Amino acid sequence: MIPRVLTVAGSDSGGGAGIQADLKTMLALGVHGMSVITAVTAQNSLGVQGAWELPVEAVRAQYRSVVDDIGVQAVKTGMLASAELVEAVAELIGGTDAPAVIDPVGVSKHGDSLLASSALESVRTKLLPMATVATPNLDEVAQLTGVHVESEEQLRQAAAAVLEYGPRWVLIKGGHLPGDAVDLLTDGSAEHWLRAPRHDNRHTHGTGCTLASAIASGLAKGLAVPEAVTAAKEYVTGAIEAGFALGGGIGPVDHGWRFRAGA
């Protein structure tokens, strides 16, 4: 049977991030993607013009509908706008026998807030302990822990601060630092440094969603965490290199770059 991955996230009407990016990534990596929509956004290459959170009961019903009938081999979370949604999703994941990739989405690529400040404590104490892998970027690390990373050497400090909240592994994404795109994956003992050349391409909308979904896809296939993250890093690096202009602002990464490369 094809591995099945469930994304619990918001909808991006522009198709570059959120549920849309997740499902494209899953298709590209050979797994069956399923979705629980937590919010609907009016969003394009210029930013987020509006966001409407779904009721907790609608989110819970979607999740139970998929998991109870179809089953999942991995779960990935994205935009969870409120403390109520965060806590409900954490409870659902806690009752699901599958690895979970937690992308603690705080702001959009354009700087629009996607998480209420009142939800931060719920992310720390309820959601992060459910994570097989947590994948914060440097802004999210600062938001969650107060640690501000300005150099590669500080990635260890950031990882330690996030691990205190209970995820099994954390991937600190150092893409906002100068130089090569360097990420640190660690469980507190083993360390894996992932490096990739930085591509001169500003069309990077959806990178976080894409990376987390790629990791979840690898875990659903039975890969160990380091192997799943390494494969996901390779995939997202190619997607960033192939990112393309769309609209008048920041375009998306190209989730189908491997198809086009082989055409």
Side-chain angles (χ1 to χ4, degrees):
M1 183 176 290
I2 296 175
R4 291 144 286 161
V5 181
L6 178 62
T7 170
V8 184
S11 168
D12 173 2
S13 56
I19 289 283
Q20 287 80 356
D22 297 339
L23 294 177
K24 291 174 188 178
T25 299
M26 293 168 192
L27 176 63
L29 296 179
V31 303
H32 176 65
M34 304 169 291
S35 63
V36 171
I37 297 177
T38 62
V40 174
T41 69
Q43 189 171 168
N44 55 27
S45 69
L46 300 173
V48 179
Q49 292 78 46
W52 298 268
E53 178 185 328
L54 265 67
V56 169
E57 57 266 30
V59 171
R60 186 177 287 112
Q62 291 176 80
Y63 192 101
R64 290 263 60 93
S65 179
V66 171
V67 173
D68 293 348
D69 173 51
I70 301 171
V72 296
Q73 275 74 57
V75 179
K76 174 262 175 186
T77 71
M79 177 183 175
L80 302 173
S82 68
E84 292 78 14
L85 274 178
V86 169
E87 292 172 13
V89 170
E91 180 184 354
L92 289 164
I93 291 174
T96 304
D97 185 19
V101 179
I102 305 299
D103 185 16
V105 175
V107 296
S108 76
K109 183 67 67 178
H110 304 85
D112 301 292
S113 178
L114 300 176
L115 180 71
S117 58
S118 58
L120 285 172
E121 189 61 19
S122 295
V123 173
R124 296 182 188 107
T125 62
K126 304 292 186 182
L127 191 61
L128 287 177
M130 298 296 107
T132 306
V133 188
T135 63
N137 62 30
L138 299 186
D139 290 337
E140 291 154 357
V141 167
Q143 190 178 36
L144 290 166
T145 71
V147 174
H148 295 269
V149 176
E150 297 179 354
S151 67
E152 184 177 318
E153 292 73 26
Q154 292 177 299
L155 292 176
R156 283 194 179 97
Q157 180 186 357
V162 176
L163 284 170
E164 287 186 5
Y165 293 115
R168 283 176 50 202
W169 291 82
V170 61
L171 177 68
I172 304 295
K173 300 179 293 190
H176 293 173
L177 295 174
D180 287 348
V182 180
D183 306 328
L184 172 60
L185 172 71
T186 180
D187 62 355
S189 55
E191 283 188 355
H192 303 268
W193 292 85
L194 294 91
R195 299 178 182 273
R198 185 177 300 278
H199 297 295
D200 184 19
N201 186 353
R202 73 187 188 95
H203 300 300
T204 56
H205 186 50
T207 50
C209 306
T210 300
L211 180 63
S213 293
I215 295 169
S217 298
L219 295 177
K221 294 176 180 178
L223 296 181
V225 169
E227 286 71 31
V229 173
T230 299
K233 173 82 168 179
E234 179 184 349
Y235 171 73
V236 79
T237 299
I240 291 170
E241 183 179 14
F244 55 92
L246 196 70
I250 299 172
V253 301
D254 184 359
H255 300 93
W257 68 273
R258 282 178 172 158
F259 301 137
R260 279 179 265 283

